[in-house]
Amino acid sequence: MATTESKAPAKDSRKKVGLAPNLDSGFYGQDIISVSQFTRENLEHIFGVAEEMRAIVKRVGSSDLLKGTVLACLFYEPSTRTSSSFIAAMSRLGGTVIPITQGVQFSSVSKGESLPDTVRTLESYADVIVIRHPEMGSAQTAADYAQKPIINGGDGAGEHPTQALLDLFTIKEELGQIDGLSVGMVGDLRFGRTVHSLARLLCLYDVQFNFVAPEILRLPLDVMNEIRKRNLPVTETYDVAEIVADVDVLYITRVQKERFSDLAQYEEVKDLYAITPELMEKAKEKMIVMHPLPRVGEISYAVDSDPRAAYFRQMENGMYIRMALLAAVLGKV
Ligand code: CP
């Protein structure tokens, strides 16, 4: 995949969209690259807008808030939820989409076009670009070259900030609060970018972390250090049964096969964890099971009918959060 070695030009002022942009929220014209950009206050703003978006969708299906605006979806890696929820979000707000989501091999990337030139091209046609790319830091690189807002839809094993927002929104919607919760994170904590982003975002709250992973999939040190800096309580174990009775949120992830250089190592750890009805018997009556999806065996289908299985509601929330984010970076809310 071609990138460029040249230095990005300095970013000048953002091209403005619409006549009376909302400058108060602080999101207008901004890139969304990392959860470190968020505060409790601006999260509350986005969550409030997401609730309004849900009400609009349930009541009338769509709005023309973003009529006349264009989103470019540039996906160098496979996606079902992130790509389609962004497309649905833009469509339900009256905008249109350039969908480079079915494989960049059908774009000029296959001719060797660099990431900076690709984003420069797309921003000539679109008002905002969502990018997913296998390299950590790629969304920031795109943002360095683009004048229009770039939204990180997942950069390698780095971050997935919009997923973390929808995860946090789901926790709040399901359990009514975030402070005081005990959160278990299970599975691929090393490569799982959703875990990295959610753990960082949860550092804004008063939570207890319980990490469950084999040695080779433990949480990266930089994320752990951020938690330690906040003096939040942390436990680490290999065995999910040790924590299941104590947690309010059980967040399990797929082992990310595509990030392993040694597939034999992947085979050793791929089936270590599974949420089953038997395990759920030990869990609290009021708790939730979450998964960013796709699942490949980590949650038994028999758990789907358990009211504590929140992963499909979590997935739906992604569209409302992405509607809110698009409206925010385009200066409408
Ligand atoms: N959760 C998530 O990012 O799913 P997709 O890979 O399907 O976009």
Side-chain angles (χ1 to χ4, degrees):
M1 224 158 278
T3 55
T4 183
E5 303 306 320
S6 66
K7 196 166 165 5
K11 184 167 270 196
D12 55 22
S13 60
R14 301 281 190 191
K15 186 174 174 189
K16 308 230 180 302
V17 180
L19 290 176
N22 176 12
L23 303 176
D24 296 340
S25 77
F27 287 105
Y28 175 51
Q30 295 301 305
D31 304 310
I32 306 292
I33 305 297
S34 164
V35 292
S36 61
Q37 296 168 244
F38 291 90
T39 62
R40 285 176 71 134
E41 289 69 32
N42 62 27
L43 284 168
E44 282 308 314
H45 175 68
I46 292 295
F47 292 171
V49 176
E51 279 172 11
E52 288 175 34
M53 295 300 181
R54 173 167 38 212
I56 289 169
V57 171
K58 300 283 183 206
R59 204 169 54 245
V60 290
S62 65
S63 133
D64 62 0
L65 188 68
L66 296 183
K67 189 164 181 246
T69 63
V70 178
L71 164 71
C73 274
L74 176 61
F75 279 61
Y76 291 76
E77 274 192 336
S79 167
T80 299
R81 278 146 291 273
T82 310
S83 58
S84 53
S85 62
F86 264 114
I87 291 170
M90 195 53 158
S91 306
R92 286 187 184 274
L93 289 174
T96 51
V97 181
I98 301 169
I100 305 182
T101 54
Q102 302 301 318
V104 285
Q105 69 268 28
F106 300 116
S107 74
S108 285
V109 169
S110 66
K111 301 174 200 164
E113 187 158 54
S114 67
L115 177 61
D117 281 0
T118 302
V119 296
R120 280 170 175 147
T121 304
L122 290 175
E123 73 173 351
S124 306
Y125 313 132
D127 303 294
V128 51
I129 300 172
V130 178
I131 180 171
R132 171 172 289 188
H133 195 284
E135 285 170 28
M136 214 188 287
S138 52
Q140 183 59 58
T141 302
D144 288 344
Y145 284 87
Q147 302 301 314
K148 305 272 178 73
I150 297 288
I151 300 179
N152 182 2
D155 62 330
E159 279 218 38
H160 195 346
T162 68
Q163 177 74 42
L165 260 59
L166 77 90
D167 291 342
L168 198 67
F169 179 66
T170 300
I171 294 171
K172 188 158 181 258
E173 293 285 301
E174 295 276 331
L175 298 174
Q177 64 182 61
I178 299 163
D179 284 320
L181 295 181
S182 180
V183 179
M185 295 183 146
V186 183
D188 189 346
L189 310 184
R190 178 182 175 191
F191 297 120
R193 57 194 173 199
T194 70
V195 167
H196 306 164
S197 287
L198 181 58
R200 286 190 164 112
L201 207 49
L202 282 167
C203 285
L204 294 173
Y205 298 84
D206 180 18
V207 297
Q208 150 123 22
F209 289 98
N210 306 274
F211 295 116
V212 182
E215 187 61 32
I216 64 162
L217 295 181
R218 282 175 69 186
L219 195 73
L221 203 57
D222 60 325
V223 185
M224 189 62 96
N225 284 342
E226 281 190 40
I227 296 168
R228 292 212 175 103
K229 249 194 287 179
R230 291 271 294 113
N231 286 324
L232 293 167
V234 179
T235 69
E236 281 192 278
T237 175
Y238 176 84
D239 186 0
V240 68
E242 276 184 25
I243 63 142
V244 69
D246 300 323
V247 295
D248 304 294
V249 177
L250 190 61
Y251 189 98
I252 184 159
T253 62
R254 171 179 73 90
V255 178
Q256 311 260 306
K257 183 179 182 181
E258 63 274 31
R259 315 268 179 236
F260 281 75
S261 50
D262 177 358
L263 275 186
Q265 268 196 340
Y266 166 73
E267 291 295 329
E268 275 173 31
V269 293
K270 73 182 169 75
D271 295 322
L272 282 180
Y273 303 112
I275 308 299
T276 60
E278 294 70 41
L279 190 75
M280 290 300 289
E281 277 176 24
K282 301 189 180 79
K284 290 181 186 177
E285 204 173 313
K286 189 175 176 207
M287 58 83 73
I288 52 172
V289 179
M290 298 177 69
H291 193 308
L293 303 174
R295 63 175 155 181
V296 285
E298 307 83 38
I299 304 177
S300 154
Y301 281 90
V303 175
D304 294 356
S305 55
D306 188 315
R308 296 169 293 181
Y311 32 93
F312 296 130
R313 298 189 292 274
Q314 175 187 358
M315 181 174 69
E316 180 182 330
N317 286 338
M319 184 174 73
Y320 308 131
I321 283 289
R322 286 163 178 145
M323 289 171 81
L325 278 175
L326 288 172
V329 300
L330 292 174
K332 299 296 184 186
V333 294

